[in-house]
Amino acid sequence: DTAVSQTPKYLVTQMGNDKSIKCEQNLGHDTMYWYKQDSKKFLKIMFSYNNKELIINETVPNRFSPKSPDKAHLNLHINSLELGDSAVYFCASSQTGHYQPQHFGDGTRLSIL
Amino acid sequence: GESVGLHLPTLSVQEGDNSIINCAYSNSASDYFIWYKQESGKGPQFIIDIRSNMDKRQGQRVTVLLNKTVKHLSLQIAATQPGDSAVYFCAETAGNSGYSTLTFGKGTMLLVSP
């Protein structure tokens, strides 16, 4: 009955590799997001999709490519991984609308060796 | 451990005390605010929200106060319990579109001793 679920929970890989993180929500929301949380716990928005369309891209390197096959899924593909990509990545979802709280998954901890 | 090198502001309280966590925001156009709780290994969990047309909102054991004049937000937790130990974030959003981008504060770690 998990509302926002991400896989995998942990991802350990080497520099230069390509990896994907998947996210699914069963809340019936039509807006989904990716956030990055650094080692100091600072959370920053990366992308937002509404009904499969990209609406926010916060100057993230184009090595990061989100894809939304339908409004319940938002996956994140990362090419040519770098050491600085090590972080916890969170997926979130909300209803469309300004006064709508976002609901988060439990994160994917990405470690680059 | 996970907290090595982590220099979050920390509030230490005894079980049963009331806790107050503060947050300053900078965008005077922000009109919607949310408090989140993040436990170790978990994602941020929604606690309570408030719109800018309100000064105070109460939930179960929690109260959020908003002072727009000084751009300050606080979260009060009554009768704090060990299970309240977590990192607490305030988040704000502004804008008149249907899409809200949350800007998160730096977080405060709450430690509750039995």
Side-chain angles (χ1 to χ4, degrees):
Chain A
D1 61 347
T2 305
V4 181
S5 58
Q6 301 177 223
T7 53
K9 189 168 175 65
Y10 300 96
L11 189 50
V12 181
T13 190
Q14 293 193 324
M15 257 194 328
N17 284 350
D18 304 338
K19 289 293 177 187
S20 292
I21 308 172
K22 295 187 175 182
C23 178
E24 175 182 5
Q25 54 92 7
N26 63 4
L27 295 166
H29 292 163
D30 43 19
T31 305
M32 295 185 72
Y33 312 80
W34 278 109
Y35 285 82
K36 179 179 181 180
Q37 187 172 48
D38 63 19
S39 58
K40 291 182 169 53
K41 294 284 192 184
F42 185 63
L43 267 161
K44 188 167 165 53
I45 182 75
M46 298 173 68
F47 300 102
S48 176
Y49 269 70
N50 177 260
N51 277 316
K52 304 191 298 175
E53 298 294 325
L54 177 68
I55 53 171
I56 293 169
N57 179 342
E58 289 287 321
T59 52
V60 177
N62 58 14
R63 296 184 296 105
F64 291 78
S65 50
K67 283 191 173 49
S68 182
D70 55 63
K71 69 176 192 177
H73 295 83
L74 180 62
N75 304 323
L76 184 64
H77 187 76
I78 317 170
N79 288 329
S80 303
L81 281 156
E82 300 178 357
L83 286 175
D85 297 332
S86 293
V88 183
Y89 292 84
F90 287 100
C91 178
S93 72
S94 72
Q95 293 285 14
T96 298
H98 186 50
Y99 301 110
Q100 298 294 335
Q102 295 174 22
H103 299 267
F104 286 76
D106 281 338
T108 296
R109 181 175 291 276
L110 175 62
S111 300
I112 310 300
L113 304 177
Chain B
E2 188 181 87
S3 62
V4 171
L6 192 61
H7 297 293
L8 286 176
T10 300
L11 175 64
S12 297
V13 300
Q14 296 278 2
E15 183 177 2
D17 287 352
N18 295 334
S19 303
I20 300 177
I21 300 171
N22 295 303
C23 177
Y25 64 95
S26 56
N27 186 355
S28 55
S30 290
D31 61 353
Y32 180 50
F33 305 86
I34 307 175
W35 279 100
Y36 284 93
K37 171 187 180 184
Q38 187 177 18
E39 297 174 277
S40 181
K42 300 272 190 178
Q45 177 189 358
F46 171 84
I47 302 173
I48 192 167
D49 58 0
I50 189 167
R51 300 187 188 189
S52 60
N53 61 354
M54 301 173 71
D55 297 325
K56 178 179 178 178
R57 191 161 187 231
Q58 288 185 288
Q60 190 176 16
R61 279 202 309 120
V62 294
T63 300
V64 55
L65 297 177
L66 174 63
N67 185 331
K68 295 181 289 293
T69 304
V70 295
K71 297 202 280 288
H72 184 268
L73 194 67
S74 68
L75 177 71
Q76 300 178 359
I77 305 174
T80 315
Q81 301 166 1
D84 295 327
S85 293
V87 177
Y88 288 80
F89 293 95
C90 64
E92 60 180 294
T93 186
N96 54 12
S97 75
Y99 312 117
S100 67
T101 301
L102 284 178
T103 299
F104 279 81
K106 290 185 179 159
T108 297
M109 183 173 290
L110 176 65
L111 297 174
V112 184
S113 323

